[in-house]
Structures are given as structure tokens and as C-alpha cells.
Amino acid sequence: MSPVPSARDYERLVQDLGRDVVPRAAVSWAHTIALVQHARQHGLLGDDIAFASSPDGTRKALGVLADAHPALESLADPQVVPVWASTVSSAAWERTADFWARHPASDDGPRVDGYVLGDAYQALSAEARKSRALCQTPPWIAELLLELALTPGVEEAGPDQVRMIDPSCGTGHILMSAFHSVRTHRPYGRAPAGHVPKVRSVERALEAVCGVDLDPYAAVLARYRLLAATASILGRRIDQVPASWPVQVACADSLLDTTEPLLRRGSYHAVVGNPPYITMSDASVRDRIRAAYPQVATGKFSLALPFCQLMFELAVPETGRIAQLTTNAWMKREYGRRFVEEYLPEWDAQWIIDTSGCYIPGHGTPTVIMLHQARRPHSDTVTVIRGNQGEPHVPDDPSQGLVWRAIEEEVHFRLALDRFRRGAEAHRREHGTP
């Protein structure tokens, strides 16, 4: 297995290409060469496509991908993919292709989920990280968020009806975990209603999963990843995935867009995300957000607070669940006072999990996991997991860090206990036993 490139390696790659083109185009060339390599290595493009050792070869393959499914059309848009508007030298292209040959962005194992591809875009694009707060949610955290919010949503609504959204989805890490969660769902504690054909299980997973992001390239990359997973599971190329199958990832400003259908309020059984934590530097945009979310956007507010309100509003009233990994700064800052004292008490808080001591790659801000249900409080009890100390050292595998493992064990224990209690109560009701 080849070593994972460092942040400095990615920076040098962009700088090298930046001798020929502006930084945004350099990032585009660096990543699309990896994207094409990924598609070819996993058999997602037709055999007749020659990956020529030239910039034109990359453009040709991108054109084939853009034509392969309606969800990928924006790969041919110069506004989204600047490789169409500017070119790099053959020598720079060859050095970039060699970089990806030494550090393939391909997937190990049987699933083609594109996690490395998504992480690479974050590492390459300083603009996406700084101005759009692109920060991927590690799969091991996404799975816990989904276990808290999506799993009960599937149990209640059924895998054919459930809908989830990540309104700040980035390149799709949470979406990929949600896709597989719905696709492989088995009812807990009872036999399945019947065998679900593989084709139908994949189609219904696509129908369930929705995402929105401000970054147009991140959005199309998320759509590509969903299609790549779909095609690989079915043993097909991307152009053999039915064009009528939905790939529901939109490029829009989730906080301010009033026309995007995926942002219709009250539509989702599970709203799951890792929203941006930054403060908006553009005063005009900040004022528009403040006007749209006056309950929570006060003082020098973090975008985490209006995103929290948005996530609550997207959930189905009464039954929808909202799980988020977010900053804990509002707990300690003046701008969070109204949010804590007036807004949050109106909602049914179920879990508060202190993750500030966890080592989460790319997350320098202390965080907290919150789970709410979209209704008035139904109990005086909130399950809280408090942190006593942080990691003693940076773990080789963050998912196996001591703090995170302790959190997972506590969550799984409590979930199992809750299931037992519900089962016992159902048995008493059915049989009339004390």
C-alpha cells in the first residue's frame, strides 16, 4: 500500500501546476486527473476510451463521464471544472499523472466509495477549505451520527419511504455512509418482509439520500461517488446506470436558497451533517443570513447556529431526527447565549456527546455531537456523555482512539439498553404481563 500524501505533497502538486494556470485551475487539473484515473481503474468508463498521456486525454475522459449520466453533466461546465478553460503543459500533466500513479486515489476492497478521492479534493483546494469551510466527516463518525438519526428513521418510515439529507454535504462522506445504511438495512429484532433484489435495494438507497453543498465541484464529485458505488455494486459502468435513477445532490446555498427543491422544509426523517463552523467574512452575506435566521444569528455568530436552525426546519415535524457534529464554541461565547437560553430549549434534545477530546483529522475546533427530535421536549432527561480527558497521544488509527472508542461503547450500550426496554414494554402491552 502506497504512503498517503502529506498536506505538503498536495501543496507542491498544486504549486507545480500553478506555474501554467491560476490556482483554481491548478486544483482542477490536479483532481480531475485523479478522478479519471479512479473511473478507469474501477472499470466505470468504456473500454474504448484511451487515457492518452496528455491534457486532451483527461478532457476526453471527462467528456465521456459528463455524458455517462445526467447527474454528471456539470463535469463539462468550465465554470465548475476549469480544465476546459485553461490548459497545462504536457510535462506538468505527466508529473501529475505520476503523482497519482504513486499515490492512487482508488478504493481498496470490494466497495467503490471514493473516500480517498473526496479527501484529496479537500487537501488540494485551500480555497474550498478556507472560504467554504470544506472539512470531510470521517466515515467512523458519520456512521455513529447515522446510527443515532437515520437508523430509527428507517425503522419508522421503512427503507422505501425514508429520506435523509446532509445540507452541507461536501464531497459526500456522510451521503456514502447513508447510502449503504439504507441499501443494507435489515429490520431490528424481526425477520425481513422478504428478499429485496439487489437492483431495488440500490435504487431505493439513491431515492433516500439527498445532499446540498455550496461548492459546485464538491457537489458533482458527491454525485460521481454515489454513481460509482451504484455501478460497482451492480457490476456495470456508470453509463449503464439508468438515467431515470435519482442522484439527489444539488449545488446551492443551503442557508439562503429559497427555490432549491431539496431544501423544502419538513421533508426529512433524518437530517445529518457536520455544518461549517466559520464566521462569514462577507458583510452583505452575513447580514442576509442574520435577517433569515434572527433567532440564532446574533453577534459575531458562527455559521454553525443558522445551520442548526436550518437542520431542525428540514426535519419532518414530530418524528424527524437531527444529528450533527458541530463546534462547541457557542457554549462559551456571548453570541451563543440566545441560542442556548431561548432556541435550543424549544426542541427535544436526546443526546449531547462531548467529542472535544477526540482526535478528528482536519478538525482543529473542539466539537460536540447533538441529537434532537423535531418536536417540543418530551422528557426531562437528556443522555449526556461528558469528556474527562483527551487522547494521550495522536492515534495511528483515529477511529480506534481511546476517547472515540469510549464514546462508541457508551452509545452502543445505551442504544442496546433502550431497545431492550422498548421490547420489554411491547411484550407487556401485548401479553398483559406486569
Side-chain angles (χ1 to χ4, degrees), residues 24-47:
R24 183 167 177 265
V27 170
S28 185
W29 274 108
H31 198 272
T32 53
I33 291 171
L35 175 64
V36 169
Q37 182 193 75
H38 182 274
R40 287 185 57 80
Q41 288 177 333
H42 293 292
L44 303 176
L45 289 172
D47 295 335

Side-chain angles (χ1 to χ4, degrees), residues 288-310:
R288 291 174 61 201
I289 295 173
R290 196 189 305 277
Y293 301 89
Q295 290 177 278
V296 299
T298 61
K300 296 180 179 180
F301 64 91
S302 158
L303 289 183
L305 302 193
F307 260 101
C308 183
Q309 180 177 336
L310 168 69

Side-chain angles (χ1 to χ4, degrees), residues 152-164:
V154 178
E155 291 288 341
E156 293 168 6
D160 289 309
Q161 300 298 323
V162 72
R163 298 191 80 213
M164 73 76 60

Side-chain angles (χ1 to χ4, degrees), residues 344-389:
L344 281 183
E346 298 295 315
W347 301 90
D348 189 10
Q350 298 181 347
W351 288 80
I352 306 293
I353 303 171
D354 179 11
T355 49
S356 61
C358 295
Y359 174 68
I360 306 176
H363 290 66
T365 303
T367 54
V368 61
I369 288 175
M370 300 195 302
L371 176 72
H372 288 79
Q373 196 158 342
R375 62 186 184 185
R376 297 279 301 174
H378 273 50
S379 170
D380 293 333
T381 302
V382 178
T383 302
V384 177
I385 297 179
R386 298 177 63 186
N388 293 324
Q389 54 186 321

Side-chain angles (χ1 to χ4, degrees), residues 164-236:
M164 73 76 60
I165 188 171
D166 178 354
S168 54
C169 68
T171 67
H173 277 22
I174 292 176
L175 301 186
M176 295 308 306
S177 294
F179 170 82
H180 290 300
S181 179
V182 176
R183 181 180 66 84
T184 61
H185 175 74
R186 297 292 181 273
Y188 182 82
R190 61 184 187 275
H195 173 69
V196 180
K198 180 187 291 186
V199 171
R200 176 55 193 153
S201 71
V202 173
E203 183 182 13
R204 77 182 185 186
L206 286 176
E207 292 169 349
V209 174
C210 304
V212 179
D213 199 82
L214 184 62
D215 185 323
Y217 185 74
V220 73
L221 184 55
R223 293 194 288 270
Y224 167 81
R225 292 176 62 189
L226 287 167
L227 281 169
T230 296
S232 66
I233 291 167
L234 299 179
R236 304 177 183 177

Side-chain angles (χ1 to χ4, degrees), residues 40-77:
R40 287 185 57 80
Q41 288 177 333
H42 293 292
L44 303 176
L45 289 172
D47 295 335
D48 59 329
I49 300 303
F51 185 47
S53 297
S54 69
D56 284 344
T58 296
R59 289 190 179 119
K60 181 178 180 182
L62 278 176
V64 171
L65 271 177
D67 291 338
H69 193 280
L72 301 181
E73 289 178 351
S74 59
L75 285 174
D77 183 349

